């Protein structure tokens, strides 16, 4: 479970870079910049909370904490991939 959490943390860094590039290249039409900045801030919050929980739970060897951190860390990559698919249609 710990290895899966660290794998998701690595995927989160890729998703964070995706949202950062999206917020830097977003156009001002239809409020796309606002959506990009909110997605970036939400991703930063999820990575911070999930990463902190992962480190804390790995030290305490708490399976419930590891599961929760993996769940939190799995959300940004799924969101980034779904946005990439929607934008390519």
């Amino acid at each position: 479970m710990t290895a899966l959490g660290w794998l998701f943390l690595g995927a989160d860094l890729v998703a964070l870079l995706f949202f950062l590039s999206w917020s830097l290249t977003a156009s001002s039409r239809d409020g796309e910049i606002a959506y990009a900045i909110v997605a970036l801030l939400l991703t930063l919050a999820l990575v911070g909370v999930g990463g902190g929980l992962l480190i804390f739970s790995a030290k305490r060897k708490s399976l419930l904490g590891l599961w929760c951190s993996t769940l939190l860390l799995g959300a940004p990559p799924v969101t980034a991939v779904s946005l990439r698919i929607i934008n390519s249609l």
Side-chain angles (χ1 to χ4, degrees), residues 30-64:
D30 300 330
E32 186 180 4
I33 293 174
Y35 291 125
I37 290 174
V38 167
L40 178 65
L41 292 176
L42 183 63
T43 302
L44 280 171
L46 286 174
V47 169
V49 171
L53 189 60
L54 177 67
I55 292 170
F56 181 72
S57 299
K59 283 183 181 179
R60 295 189 67 218
K61 299 191 186 327
S62 167
L63 188 60
L64 181 62

Side-chain angles (χ1 to χ4, degrees), residues 5 8 49-51 53-54 57 64-74:
F8 278 164
V49 171
L53 189 60
L54 177 67
S57 299
L64 181 62
L66 288 172
W67 184 84
C68 290
S69 69
T70 305
L71 183 68
L72 283 175
L73 290 173

